[in-house]
């Protein structure tokens, strides 16, 4: 059995036939067919059903297919690992992030630009999505890395390093009834949010998950009136009297009253996440190392200031 035969087999399956596969591989179709038949003879079973208009894998072929793909991916990983150590790092890194992350002190934009300058053959893709979906995409291997909010611990198979960990607060306009009822108190009970129109991040965000869990434990369902993608937008809506914004940190705006939520579990956490129990490309490992070092430096600087 040869790796090229496995490559030919996978390509025929992906293309649904020998003609398109031969064009993609730049081979003559008779030669491609001969190599596949040689592989089938060696394995003792037909791998492809040629009886229909489209070529499909047989039952045995379906069983073999994931192993063939894994073997080809492993060989590609070996090549990339060698190139990494010879300064020829290449490949693709898919990153997901929650909106607003680019303004973090670790300077994600600068880190990506520096990485691209050093490894111009690495293709970097950047997308924004909800935290829940991104963490699941990391677990499945669809994303290499993600900067995502945490409502709880990440799913199994996902490693993480906390980037931001701030208490959650409630913010209202100065004329809001909560401002009159709670005055200058330093903390607000979660139960005080019951019945008020709330302004929060979309479902699937880490902060939203924490809020819903705290409200359920306090015996009520949150009345979400407005959703926005970034904490700054939540604050702007609250400052205009549209409800109570639940936000991480202690935001400031003219005419805004802010309290910390009186529950130690009311935290807004954002973490750098990666797949911990599956194959990760050398390019993704190299970028992950840079990002983790940057996070550690920011944490050290904050500790020194504090």
């Amino acid at each position: 059995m040869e790796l090229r035969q496995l490559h030919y087999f996978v390509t025929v399956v992906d293309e649904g036939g020998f003609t398109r596969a031969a064009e993609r591989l730049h081979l003559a179709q008779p030669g491609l067919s001969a190599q596949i038949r040689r592989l089938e003879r060696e394995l003792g079973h037909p791998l492809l059903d040629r009886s229909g208009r489209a070529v499909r894998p047989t039952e045995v072929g379906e069983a073999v297919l994931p192993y063939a793909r894994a073997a080809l991916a492993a060989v590609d990983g070996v090549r990339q690992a060698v190139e990494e150590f010879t300064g020829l790092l290449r490949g693709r890194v898919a990153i997901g992030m929650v909106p607003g992350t680019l303004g973090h002190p670790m300077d994600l934009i600068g880190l990506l630009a520096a990485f691209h300058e050093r490894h111009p053959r690495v293709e970097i893709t950047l997308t924004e999505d909800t935290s829940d979906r991104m963490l699941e995409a990391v677990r499945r291997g669809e994303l290499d890395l993600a900067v995502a909010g945490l409502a709880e611990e990440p799913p199994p198979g996902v490693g993480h390093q906390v980037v931001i960990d701030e208490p959650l607060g409630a913010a209202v306009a100065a004329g809001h009834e909560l401002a009159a009822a709670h005055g200058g108190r330093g903390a607000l009970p979660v139960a005080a949010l019951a019945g008020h129109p709330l302004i929060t991040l979309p479902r699937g965000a880490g902060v939203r998950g924490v809020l819903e869990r705290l409200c359920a434990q306090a015996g009520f369902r949150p009345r979400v009136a407005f959703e926005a993608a970034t904490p700054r937008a939540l604050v702007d809506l609250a400052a205009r009297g549209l409800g109570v914004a639940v936000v991480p940190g202690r935001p400031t705006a003219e005419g805004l009253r802010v309290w910390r939520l009186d529950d130690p579990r009311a935290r807004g956490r954002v973490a750098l996440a990666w797949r911990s129990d599956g194959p990760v490309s050398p390019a993704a490992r190299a970028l992950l190392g840079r990002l983790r070092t940057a996070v550690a430096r920011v944490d050290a600087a904050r500790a020194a200031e504090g």
Side-chain angles (χ1 to χ4, degrees), residues 69-89:
R69 293 191 191 279
L72 296 174
V75 171
D76 188 56
V78 169
R79 292 194 183 101
Q80 290 191 32
V82 172
E83 290 177 345
E84 177 182 4
F85 285 103
T86 57
L88 297 175
L89 188 67

Side-chain angles (χ1 to χ4, degrees), residues 226-299:
F226 294 91
E227 294 180 344
T230 65
R232 185 69 256 173
L234 304 180
V235 170
D236 290 343
L237 291 168
R240 287 164 172 76
L242 295 173
V244 184
V246 178
V247 291
R250 193 171 182 85
T252 59
E254 185 175 353
L256 195 71
R257 290 295 311 276
V258 182
W259 300 273
R260 176 179 54 82
L261 289 179
D262 191 13
D263 190 310
R265 298 165 298 180
R267 309 287 301 184
R269 296 194 302 153
V270 175
L272 175 64
W274 60 90
R275 191 177 179 192
S276 61
D277 65 349
V280 178
S281 71
R285 284 201 306 273
L287 181 55
L288 174 62
R290 285 189 170 223
L291 294 179
R292 295 193 68 182
T293 299
V295 172
R297 286 174 180 167
V298 171
D299 290 342

Side-chain angles (χ1 to χ4, degrees), residues 203-233:
R203 192 178 298 275
V207 167
R208 176 68 171 269
V210 172
L211 172 64
E212 291 179 344
R213 187 166 65 248
L214 292 175
C215 291
Q217 292 167 350
F220 70 96
R221 185 175 181 177
R223 179 185 159 199
V224 176
F226 294 91
E227 294 180 344
T230 65
R232 185 69 256 173

Side-chain angles (χ1 to χ4, degrees), residues 34-213:
Q35 288 295 329
I36 297 295
R37 290 194 181 279
R38 183 177 300 175
L39 176 62
E40 290 174 322
R41 285 197 300 270
E42 182 174 347
L43 294 176
H45 291 277
L47 301 178
L48 297 171
D49 180 358
R50 302 162 173 83
S51 61
R53 295 182 62 183
V55 176
R56 300 181 181 279
T58 62
E59 187 175 356
V60 174
E62 288 283 6
V64 168
L65 188 59
Y67 293 99
R69 293 191 191 279
L72 296 174
V75 171
D76 188 56
V78 169
R79 292 194 183 101
Q80 290 191 32
V82 172
E83 290 177 345
E84 177 182 4
F85 285 103
T86 57
L88 297 175
L89 188 67
R90 67 179 181 181
R92 179 177 178 273
V93 183
I95 308 172
M97 64 176 54
V98 290
T101 308
L102 292 177
H104 186 264
M106 75 175 180
D107 185 17
L108 183 58
I109 293 178
L111 288 168
L112 293 179
F115 185 84
H116 175 68
E117 182 178 358
R118 182 171 181 181
H119 304 293
R121 298 173 68 184
V122 175
E123 177 188 356
I124 301 175
T125 63
L126 198 61
T127 59
E128 290 186 337
D129 204 342
T130 64
S131 296
D132 285 356
R133 284 199 292 261
M134 289 191 298
L135 290 172
E136 184 61 24
V138 169
R139 186 189 69 80
R140 294 195 302 262
E142 296 168 4
L143 287 175
D144 296 298
L145 309 170
V147 181
L150 299 180
E152 51 192 1
E153 291 302 299
V158 177
H160 73 286
Q161 181 177 359
V162 174
V163 176
I164 300 171
D165 187 356
E166 299 176 309
L168 293 183
V172 299
H176 194 278
E177 58 185 285
L178 274 180
H182 291 274
R185 297 181 188 178
L188 186 74
V190 173
L193 301 176
H196 291 286
L198 302 182
I199 306 169
T200 183
L201 297 175
R203 192 178 298 275
V207 167
R208 176 68 171 269
V210 172
L211 172 64
E212 291 179 344
R213 187 166 65 248

